[in-house]
Amino acid sequence: MISDQDIFDTHRGGKLTISSTRPLETTRDLSIAYTPGVARVCEAIHDDPALAREYTWAGKNVAVISDGTAVLGLGDIGPAAALPVMEGKAQLFGRFAGLNAIPIVLDTTDTDELFDTIVRLAPSFGAINLEDISAPRCFELERRLIKALEIPIMHDDQHGTAIVITAALRNACELLDRALSDLKVVITGAGAAGVATAKMLIAAGVRHIVMVDSRGIIHQDRSPLNTVKQELAAITNPEGITGGLEAAMLGADVFIGLSRGHVNEEQLQLMAPDPILFSLANPTPEIAPELAARYGAVVATGRSDLPNQINNVLAFPGIFKGALEAGATEISQTMKLAASRAIAEIAKENLDATHVVPSPLDPRVAPAVAKAVKAAALA
């Protein structure tokens, strides 16, 4: 059992520290690490800025940046309350990829202010992990930063989730002898994770996706639609289905829940036989676990106490490590698909209905993902 006291004791004083990689015991140590020796390195970097990757920590340093507007299952709780999560994310970078990571929470929700601040912070970092920033601002912010900066940038709530879902779906298809291209997929939630998941599944070969938001099925004749949903409408729902969740679920092979909604037994009965059910809302999945177990051929959630946890830690440490090792200036769709395949391959070693993705604590995952991402970046 974990008590509140255990939790607060662990977080007291924060979960991170910064330590020196070199001894500072003698005058010689100080002269090399600081003045006058450090001036030689500064001059070299001034002449060739690319040397900062080799002679500072920037080459292995990730900024974990949030405005606290979409934190875990907590929503808009503000930057101060988001900081423990960003500290935890930094811990995971160190534990699984050996990277330094610095949590940064910004006290603004204005997209222009976020953009300007991050651009000015960027010289201290080799990569930027955007975290827990609400949609649709997260789409614009990521897009603008990728265009402005020549370092890897990824909003993990979008792409990390999409990568792990795609890996799990690959293996579910392998287990059930189905093809991605034949699946009818329903995704509830058109926020950051839902949008990225739809795009990644399409890139992986899925041809039939129906997106459902709080107003029903997204289709090209529905109005009003913001720019992001207009793009979704153009690439999903090829049959032009309209209506609500029931219409979407009729004959569907796969349900992917990325919302706080609820799916009942009658709606599950509308699906094709032996569906794949990924209900990922936390802490309460869209489909009650006992109901999902009764209907689903393969079931996944976002919870650590149930099989097949869809956890972003399977993706982001290795992705950033591979991108940094390759000297990549962006994290491309090809690199994300390579990460997804690497995650799926590890789980295939013990593939069954309760093991379509590896454990988040599997030490093989981050190195395998990093290797695959590096190879994709250098190809």
Side-chain angles (χ1 to χ4, degrees):
M1 296 293 293
I2 301 173
S3 69
D4 284 353
Q5 189 65 48
D6 293 332
I7 294 169
F8 280 92
D9 285 348
T10 294
H11 288 77
R12 190 181 304 278
K15 303 188 293 288
L16 300 172
T17 185
I18 293 176
S19 61
S20 174
T21 63
R22 301 290 187 271
L24 293 176
E25 304 294 338
T26 67
T27 300
R28 185 175 187 275
D29 293 340
L30 290 171
S31 296
I32 292 173
Y34 198 50
T35 186
V38 71
R40 297 284 298 276
V41 180
C42 295
E43 291 169 339
I45 294 171
H46 178 266
D47 293 338
D48 182 3
L51 291 177
R53 292 177 57 87
E54 183 176 359
Y55 292 107
T56 73
W57 74 344
K60 294 181 66 177
N61 197 26
V62 180
V64 181
I65 300 179
S66 179
D67 64 359
T69 54
V71 179
L72 295 173
L74 303 174
D76 186 355
I77 59 174
L83 187 55
V85 178
M86 303 313 122
E87 287 185 3
K89 195 71 177 278
Q91 285 183 296
L92 296 172
F93 271 110
R95 167 66 175 80
F96 292 104
L99 297 175
N100 303 308
I102 304 298
I104 298 172
V105 291
L106 300 178
D107 191 13
T108 179
T109 60
D110 182 271
T111 304
D112 290 336
E113 291 183 357
L114 288 167
F115 172 80
D116 290 342
T117 303
I118 293 169
V119 167
R120 283 158 177 73
L121 289 170
S124 295
F125 300 96
I128 293 171
N129 181 117
L130 300 173
E131 188 76 15
D132 294 346
I133 299 170
S134 63
R137 296 175 308 115
C138 60
F139 304 116
E140 178 187 351
L141 180 62
E142 183 189 50
R143 177 183 55 77
R144 289 173 62 183
L145 288 170
I146 288 171
K147 186 176 180 179
L149 300 172
E150 293 188 348
I151 59 175
I153 296 163
M154 189 174 83
H155 184 217
D156 186 50
D157 303 303
Q158 294 182 58
H159 308 294
T161 302
I163 287 163
V164 181
I165 288 173
T166 303
L169 191 57
R170 285 182 190 278
N171 278 348
C173 286
E174 177 90 8
L175 185 66
L176 301 174
D177 194 25
R178 299 176 186 175
L180 288 170
S181 58
D182 294 335
L183 298 177
K184 178 182 177 183
V185 178
V186 174
I187 300 175
T188 58
V195 171
T197 298
K199 291 181 177 179
M200 177 145 293
L201 290 180
I202 290 169
V206 177
R207 296 186 298 188
H208 189 127
I209 297 174
V210 176
M211 303 286 298
V212 182
D213 64 9
S214 60
R215 295 179 54 233
I217 294 172
I218 295 174
H219 57 88
Q220 294 195 65
D221 294 328
R222 199 183 98 179
S223 62
L225 290 174
N226 62 30
T227 302
V228 173
K229 292 182 181 180
Q230 287 175 9
E231 182 183 358
L232 276 179
I235 62 174
T236 64
N237 194 5
E239 295 179 358
I241 299 169
T242 62
L245 182 59
E246 287 77 10
M249 293 287 268
L250 187 62
D253 303 291
V254 181
F255 170 82
I256 299 173
L258 294 163
S259 67
R260 297 182 182 179
H262 173 71
V263 177
N264 60 40
E265 186 167 5
E266 290 73 21
Q267 291 165 333
L268 288 177
Q269 290 172 344
L270 296 171
M271 299 184 73
D274 300 318
I276 298 166
L277 304 176
F278 293 175
S279 45
L280 306 180
N282 257 323
T284 305
E286 292 89 347
I287 306 171
E290 62 276 9
L291 192 60
R294 194 186 319 153
Y295 281 89
V298 176
V299 175
T301 71
R303 288 172 46 158
S304 61
D305 59 339
L306 294 171
N308 293 326
Q309 184 190 19
I310 305 299
N311 192 321
N312 288 13
V313 76
L314 291 167
F316 69 81
I319 289 171
F320 277 95
K321 183 174 185 178
L324 286 169
E325 288 183 349
T329 58
E330 66 174 341
I331 298 173
S332 68
Q333 188 77 300
T334 300
M335 293 158 72
K336 296 167 194 170
L337 287 169
S340 178
R341 286 190 292 268
I343 294 166
E345 283 299 320
I346 290 177
K348 279 183 184 178
E349 295 180 17
N350 301 292
L351 187 61
D352 62 38
T354 64
H355 190 259
V356 295
V357 286
S359 162
L361 296 175
D362 190 324
R364 300 171 298 167
V365 175
V369 171
K371 181 179 179 181
V373 168
K374 181 178 180 180
L378 295 174

